[in-house]
């Protein structure tokens, strides 16, 4: 079998996400952005710990885990990691145990995704004041060894579940989008973190939506780091399905203009969250989708996005994070107290 589309279809996958996700018109947000048409690809509705982009990756990352005899999933992330909570939900759905190495500023309250981790019964090791990928990965490797010595069969997942196999989830997502959109030019905007989603979208566009322009908005890394990692993941994913990985770094479009301290809300991100909620009833989060929507609005304002070409905003999830940012929203409350 040489056809990449057929090989994608045949690649082993475990059903975890509610697919296809809706593609909704957002006419008032489009007018606010000065775009003729804005559509929201609702990957926040995939399910698994309240939804998000990780569900599509986990379908490939966890394919065949029980058949292969694994009994525990181990992974890493920041305190409010969407990936960690979604991997925990996926592990439980498949009947597996779950261990998480999380890191960041010490927490005083169990909120947002951390609360979901606890509800899902994940055992957590916490690196206080250290969420560097290398530190988290080293702690995970040590835990994996410990578990093996104790006779367990751990499966370790890297940060964000971003692997070549995981990226296939977004190759498949582009095929889904192509069915929903039909042919024609389109610009697809997404948040970029560990690069699996961006890699899958770029490879998927080559196969199923050649007229698509994929615009990445980096949340934490430089554009150069994103390009290097995305090309690696595209190569790995392409190899799995016998596809041409493409031209390399120069063919990718990802801006780091909107990078801000990771995990810290920005005024533009909060304004975008407010606009999406009030204009469309759409919930975004302060760490990823609020910032990527703020980036989309700014790219539209600066004319970097073509106002005449339909724009798709990939809603990558992250909504549970809002429940850890109560302080950022408190002043928006319109509430009259009535006392007797
Ligand atoms: C809500 C949300 N959006 C976007 C991203 C970025 O996706 P990726 O890590 O595949 O680049 C992540 C994860 O890092 C996320 O949790």
């Amino acid at each position: 079998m040489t056809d990449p589309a057929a090989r994608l279809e045949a690649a082993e996958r475990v059903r975890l996400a509610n697919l296809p996700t809706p593609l909704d018109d957002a006419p008032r947000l489009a007018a606010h952005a000065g775009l003729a048409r804005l559509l929201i690809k609702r990957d926040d509705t995939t399910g698994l710990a309240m939804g998000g982009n990780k569900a599509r990756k986990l379908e490939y990352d966890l394919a065949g885990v029980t058949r292969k005899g694994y009994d525990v999933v181990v992974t890493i992330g920041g305190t409010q990691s969407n990936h960690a909570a979604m991997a925990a939900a996926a592990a439980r759905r498949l009947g597996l145990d779950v261990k998480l190495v999380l890191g960041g500023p010490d927490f005083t309250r169990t909120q947002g995704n951390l609360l979901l981790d606890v509800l899902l019964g994940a055992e957590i090791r916490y690196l206080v004041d250290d969420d560097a990928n290398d530190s988290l990965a080293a702690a995970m490797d040590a835990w994996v060894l410990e578990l093996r010595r104790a006779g367990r069969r751990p499966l370790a997942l890297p940060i964000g579940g971003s692997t070549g196999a995981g990226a296939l989830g977004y190759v498949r997502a582009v095929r889904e989008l192509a069915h929903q959109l039909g042919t024609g030019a389109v610009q697809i905007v997404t948040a970029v973190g560990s690069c699996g989603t961006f890699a899958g979208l770029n490879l998927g566009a080559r196969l199923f939506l050649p007229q698509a322009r994929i615009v990445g908005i980096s949340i934490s890394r430089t554009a150069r780091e994103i390009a290097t990692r995305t090309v690696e993941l595209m190569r790995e994913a392409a190899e799995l399905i016998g596809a041409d990985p493409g031209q390399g770094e120069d063919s990718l479009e990802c801006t780091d203009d909107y990078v801000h301290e990771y995990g810290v809300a920005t005024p533009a991100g909060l304004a975008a969250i407010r606009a999406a909620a009030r204009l469309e009833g759409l919930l975004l989060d302060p760490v990823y989708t609020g910032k990527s929507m703020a980036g989309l609005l700014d790219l539209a304002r600066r004319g970097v996005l073509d106002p005449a070409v339909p724009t798709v905003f990939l809603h990558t999830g992250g909504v549970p994070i809002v429940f850890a940012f109560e302080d950022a929203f408190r002043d928006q409350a319109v509430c009259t107290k009535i006392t007797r």
Side-chain angles (χ1 to χ4, degrees), residues 53-54 57 82 162 191-197 285 288 316-318:
N53 59 343
K54 311 304 176 198
K57 301 187 202 179
N82 297 301
S162 283
V192 183
S194 60
C195 303
T197 305
D285 80 277
Y288 287 98
T316 46

Side-chain angles (χ1 to χ4, degrees), residues 249-274:
E249 300 184 10
D250 295 341
S251 62
L252 301 174
E253 185 177 351
C254 181
T255 172
D256 54 14
D257 285 356
Y258 308 100
V259 170
H260 186 78
E261 192 180 341
Y262 180 74
V264 175
T266 58
L270 293 176
I273 292 173
R274 190 184 159 100

Side-chain angles (χ1 to χ4, degrees), residues 137-278:
M140 174 166 73
D141 291 347
W143 205 353
V144 163
L145 281 181
E146 254 178 77
L147 287 163
R148 283 206 190 109
R149 275 193 216 109
R152 303 292 302 270
R153 293 285 312 272
L155 175 73
L157 293 179
I159 194 96
S162 283
T163 60
L168 292 181
Y170 272 91
V171 175
R172 206 184 169 88
V174 178
R175 194 181 61 179
E176 185 180 302
L177 255 178
H179 283 133
Q180 291 172 319
L181 283 167
T183 50
V186 62
Q187 36 203 7
I188 301 173
V189 179
T190 184
V192 183
S194 60
C195 303
T197 305
F198 191 52
L201 289 175
N202 276 285
L203 185 60
R206 292 181 59 78
L207 293 173
F208 303 115
L209 211 50
Q211 282 170 281
R213 170 183 173 199
I214 312 292
V215 181
I217 300 199
S218 176
I219 299 301
S220 50
R221 303 188 191 191
T222 65
R224 177 100 338 256
E225 288 166 330
I226 298 278
T228 307
R229 183 64 188 137
T230 301
V231 166
E232 282 169 10
L233 288 168
M234 282 176 77
R235 291 211 175 108
E236 288 172 29
E239 200 175 317
L240 292 171
I241 54 170
D244 172 5
Q247 306 304 316
E249 300 184 10
D250 295 341
S251 62
L252 301 174
E253 185 177 351
C254 181
T255 172
D256 54 14
D257 285 356
Y258 308 100
V259 170
H260 186 78
E261 192 180 341
Y262 180 74
V264 175
T266 58
L270 293 176
I273 292 173
R274 190 184 159 100
R278 292 173 188 218

